[in-house]
Amino acid sequence: MTEKETLQVDGNDHTEEQKCVTGVPSRDEISPPKGLYQSFVKPLYDKVFSFFLLISIAPVLLLLALLVKIDSKGPAIFKQKRVGLLGKVFTIYKFRSMREPNGLGENPFTAKNDPRLTRIGKIIRDVRADELPQLWNVLKGDMSLIGPRPEQVEIVKQLNSSLPDYHLRHIVKPGITGWAQVKYKYTDTKSDVPQKLQYDFYYIQNMSFKIDLYIIFATLRVVLSGQNRGER
């Protein structure tokens, strides 16, 4: 499905700007955070930080892309549909870390020592370098630096059906890192989703500069230690 294709939900066609996953409330039915930090400061530093970081690490991004291409066949950048703010479907960008993309018939959750991982893929995942292209998503406005993890479209449809409150995590933009990613244990199954969802709700209800700053430093600790590698 390309960016300009439509997604059939609730029996209606939706344009790219209106594409939503079944079960996500409309804009009129929910109230996103409206504080000064959430509505102005956070979006501003998302744009500024992602812009300058992309420029400053451009040589590193090029080197990583080259290593991914040399290590295994396939594109350097892996693209996949994910669900973002208010259920809008967007394309996420990551460095490819697997020999073959996740298909709908495969386990969409990647295990810690997944045999599909390439040699370079395992390394860049351990230090979360595979996430760096998502800075482009942040600059575009699809994501924030910090927020709930963006999930795949099919997974969201399933979880909306089994977890009545799951759609509430979409009242904020998804993030490259977040409270659940740094506070919850490593998991590669759906069984822990309800618990992780509570961490997402905690962040949404308590979003602040202080918490975001904590998450940034906690993420650095996770990167350096290689621990808490959740499913992505």
Side-chain angles (χ1 to χ4, degrees), residues 1 7-9 19-22 24 80-84 87-91 104 108 150-160 166 170:
M1 180 173 65
L7 182 67
Q8 284 277 353
V9 293
K19 290 185 299 184
C20 290
V21 174
T22 304
V24 178
Q80 190 178 63
K81 298 297 182 182
R82 297 290 178 101
V83 181
K88 180 179 178 181
V89 178
F90 69 98
T91 300
L104 296 182
E151 271 294 1
Q152 299 175 40
V153 174
E154 291 301 319
I155 293 178
V156 171
K157 289 179 179 179
Q158 295 171 20
L159 293 176
N160 277 339
Y166 187 79
H170 297 119

Side-chain angles (χ1 to χ4, degrees), residues 42 127 169 196:
K42 184 178 174 70
V127 297
R169 72 197 299 272
K196 293 195 74 172

Side-chain angles (χ1 to χ4, degrees), residues 23-25 30 32-33 82-88 90 109 146-153 155-157 159-160 163-175 177-181 192-205 207 231:
V24 178
I30 63 175
R82 297 290 178 101
V83 181
L85 179 64
L86 300 178
K88 180 179 178 181
F90 69 98
F109 293 91
I146 299 169
R149 173 181 178 270
E151 271 294 1
Q152 299 175 40
V153 174
I155 293 178
V156 171
K157 289 179 179 179
L159 293 176
N160 277 339
L163 297 173
D165 294 332
Y166 187 79
H167 65 272
L168 294 176
R169 72 197 299 272
H170 297 119
I171 66 173
V172 298
K173 287 183 180 180
T177 186
W179 186 252
Q181 291 93 311
D192 290 322
V193 171
Q195 288 75 21
K196 293 195 74 172
L197 188 60
Q198 298 308 308
Y199 284 82
D200 288 335
F201 289 164
Y202 176 86
Y203 175 75
I204 292 171
Q205 294 171 348
M207 188 188 305
E231 78 287 349

Side-chain angles (χ1 to χ4, degrees), residues 26-189:
S26 68
R27 292 177 183 272
D28 296 331
E29 295 174 319
I30 63 175
S31 298
K34 297 179 180 179
L36 179 63
Y37 176 74
Q38 296 94 332
S39 61
F40 178 74
V41 177
K42 184 178 174 70
L44 179 61
Y45 79 61
D46 276 342
K47 295 282 188 180
V48 172
F49 186 82
S50 59
F51 175 76
F52 284 104
L53 190 56
L54 278 169
I55 292 177
S56 64
I57 67 172
V60 176
L61 296 177
L62 290 174
L63 176 60
L64 289 175
L66 180 61
L67 291 174
V68 170
K69 287 287 292 182
I70 292 175
D71 185 50
S72 61
K73 294 181 180 180
I77 299 296
F78 173 66
K79 297 185 290 185
Q80 190 178 63
K81 298 297 182 182
R82 297 290 178 101
V83 181
L85 179 64
L86 300 178
K88 180 179 178 181
V89 178
F90 69 98
T91 300
I92 199 172
Y93 301 96
K94 301 172 65 173
F95 282 123
R96 181 176 56 82
S97 60
M98 306 181 78
R99 290 186 176 83
E100 54 186 30
N102 287 338
L104 296 182
E106 300 175 10
N107 178 14
F109 293 91
T110 306
K112 189 172 184 179
N113 294 307
D114 199 300
R116 294 171 294 179
L117 291 172
T118 64
R119 291 171 299 179
I120 293 298
K122 186 177 187 306
I123 295 172
I124 62 176
R125 283 179 65 89
D126 283 344
V127 297
R128 294 196 176 182
D130 62 320
E131 309 277 9
L132 291 176
Q134 290 173 42
L135 289 169
W136 177 245
N137 287 115
V138 176
L139 188 60
K140 286 176 58 186
D142 296 326
M143 296 176 62
S144 175
L145 292 171
I146 299 169
R149 173 181 178 270
E151 271 294 1
Q152 299 175 40
V153 174
E154 291 301 319
I155 293 178
V156 171
K157 289 179 179 179
Q158 295 171 20
L159 293 176
N160 277 339
S161 298
S162 59
L163 297 173
D165 294 332
Y166 187 79
H167 65 272
L168 294 176
R169 72 197 299 272
H170 297 119
I171 66 173
V172 298
K173 287 183 180 180
I176 297 178
T177 186
W179 186 252
Q181 291 93 311
V182 300
K183 297 296 288 185
Y184 196 68
K185 65 181 181 178
Y186 170 81
T187 177
D188 56 9
T189 68

